[in-house]
């Protein structure tokens, strides 16, 4: 692929207008959301969507999330349900993705769904993403804006480090406040947790009034991109460590002495916001290994541990 010049746009009115123009012309634009930066293209444009896969080195069977400006747009693409309405009322705009049956005549590129009969939808809350979506007034397919398998970006700089020369622009909205991808819930049969993320499972269960089921590899509905090694820094990652080995750098949590601490007070929200940021920073230092303190398996801790387990998984 011939390298292209990647523009670094400000997340102001002029930058947003420029991004919308580029997207209409079939370009790839990375945009800030409250979770992580996404790599957006018009979800109706086959060629633009194909270029997302090419730029990221993403396998084609791994479907994309479609981003919309508001709930009413969602109903154009999927069979809406009571549970969808309930969750959308409480958590949209926000870090929640819903997977629902695709409607016929949806008009989206078939590459978006990777051949599935379901679609993942999200209405982001970040003001820059929201303004862009409102102005664009069309569906934007956007995976996280990192090369496939690498750490997700929480700063425009991370996007440029991974994808510069492969995308037309990045719209800079500063640091992503949540710092972890959206929670994905399947709503085909029983509400099912497909990926832990920015909305804690406990909060969803409170609103639904029942526990979520959990996806297994045998489910017809699973998040195909959820398998094996992911979010992988260059160094080997070891989890639940209280005593790092010589040469290992400690990524701390809570009251431990470490060169980098996700949250000295043991605050999981702060730890989530710091996680990818610190993994990028540690990766740049090229340590012999990264050891991580134990993190409690509650609230956002579940999503943090999910990402850390993938970062530590054996590499392909
Ligand atoms: O916070 C986020 O969700 C970010 C921002 C940019 O919105 N996006 C994101 O996209 O994390 P991505 O592509 O990195 O992860 C999306 C996950 C993948 O694991 C994919 O397999 C799954 O969503 N997915 C997409 N469509 C699906 C569907 N129809 N059924 C089940 N899983 C789906
Ligand atoms: Mg991703």
């Amino acid at each position: 692929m011939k390298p292209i010049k990647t523009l670094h746009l400000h997340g102001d009115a002029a930058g947003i207008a420029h991004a919308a123009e580029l997207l209409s012309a079939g370009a790839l634009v990375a945009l800030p959301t409250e979770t992580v930066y996404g790599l957006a293209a018009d979800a109706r444009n086959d060629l633009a969507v194909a270029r997302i896969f090419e730029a990221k080195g993403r396998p084609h069977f791994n479907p994309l999330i479609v981003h919309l400006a508001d709930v009413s747009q969602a109903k154009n693409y999927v069979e809406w349900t009571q549970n969808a309405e309930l969750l959308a009322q409480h958590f949209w705009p926000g870090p929640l993705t819903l997977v629902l049956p695709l409607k016929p005549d949806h008009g989206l590129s078939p590459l978006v769904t990777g051949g599935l009969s379901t679609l993942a939808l999200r209405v982001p809350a970040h003001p820059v993403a929201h303004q862009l979506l409102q102005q664009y007034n069309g569906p934007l397919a956007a995976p996280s804006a990192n090369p496939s398998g690498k750490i997700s970006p929480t700063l425009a700089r991370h996007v440029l480090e991974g994808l510069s020369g492969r995308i037309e622009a990045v719209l800079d909205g500063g640091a992503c406040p949540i710092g972890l991808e959206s929670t994905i819930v399947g709503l085909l049969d029983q509400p099912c947790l497909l990926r832990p993320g920015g909305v804690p499972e406990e909060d969803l269960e409170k609103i639904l009034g029942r526990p979520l089921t959990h996806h297994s590899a045998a489910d017809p509905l699973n998040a195909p991109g959820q398998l094996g090694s992911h979010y992988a820094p260059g160094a080997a990652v070891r989890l639940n460590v209280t005593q790092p080995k010589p040469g290992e750098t400690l990524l701390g949590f809570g009251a431990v002495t470490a060169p980098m601490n996700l949250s000295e007070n043991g605050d999981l929200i702060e730890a989530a916001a710091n996680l990818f940021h610190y993994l990028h920073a540690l990766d740049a230092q090229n340590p012999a290994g990264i050891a991580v303190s134990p993190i409690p398996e509650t609230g956002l801790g579940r999503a943090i541990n999910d990402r850390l387990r993938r970062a530590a998984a054996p590499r392909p």
Side-chain angles (χ1 to χ4, degrees), residues 35 58 62-63 67 118 122 143-144 181-182 184 195 222-225:
T35 59
R58 180 176 175 112
N62 191 2
H67 296 66
T118 58
R122 161 159 137 74
S144 51
E181 294 87 344
S182 60
I184 307 182
R195 176 178 75 182
N222 58 29

Side-chain angles (χ1 to χ4, degrees), residues 134-145:
Q134 262 187 328
Q135 220 176 88
Y136 194 65
N137 197 28
L140 294 178
S144 51

Side-chain angles (χ1 to χ4, degrees), residues 52-124:
I52 291 182
F53 289 89
E54 190 188 342
K56 281 182 58 89
R58 180 176 175 112
H60 279 83
F61 59 78
N62 191 2
L64 305 177
I65 298 173
V66 167
H67 296 66
L68 302 168
D70 55 52
V71 187
S72 68
Q73 293 185 355
K75 298 173 189 170
N76 298 330
Y77 301 106
V78 292
E79 308 290 353
W80 202 241
T81 65
Q82 256 181 343
N83 281 333
E85 186 63 30
L86 195 60
L87 293 180
Q89 288 285 342
H90 277 88
F91 299 106
W92 277 1
L96 176 69
T97 295
L98 298 178
V99 173
L100 288 150
L102 197 54
K103 266 190 174 168
D105 301 323
H106 50 76
L108 302 173
S109 165
L111 287 170
V112 169
T113 59
L116 297 176
S117 56
T118 58
L119 180 66
L121 287 174
R122 161 159 137 74
V123 175

Side-chain angles (χ1 to χ4, degrees), residues 7-23:
L7 300 173
H8 189 158
L9 305 174
H10 288 292
D12 56 10
I16 291 169
H18 194 156
E21 243 170 69
L22 288 169
L23 288 163

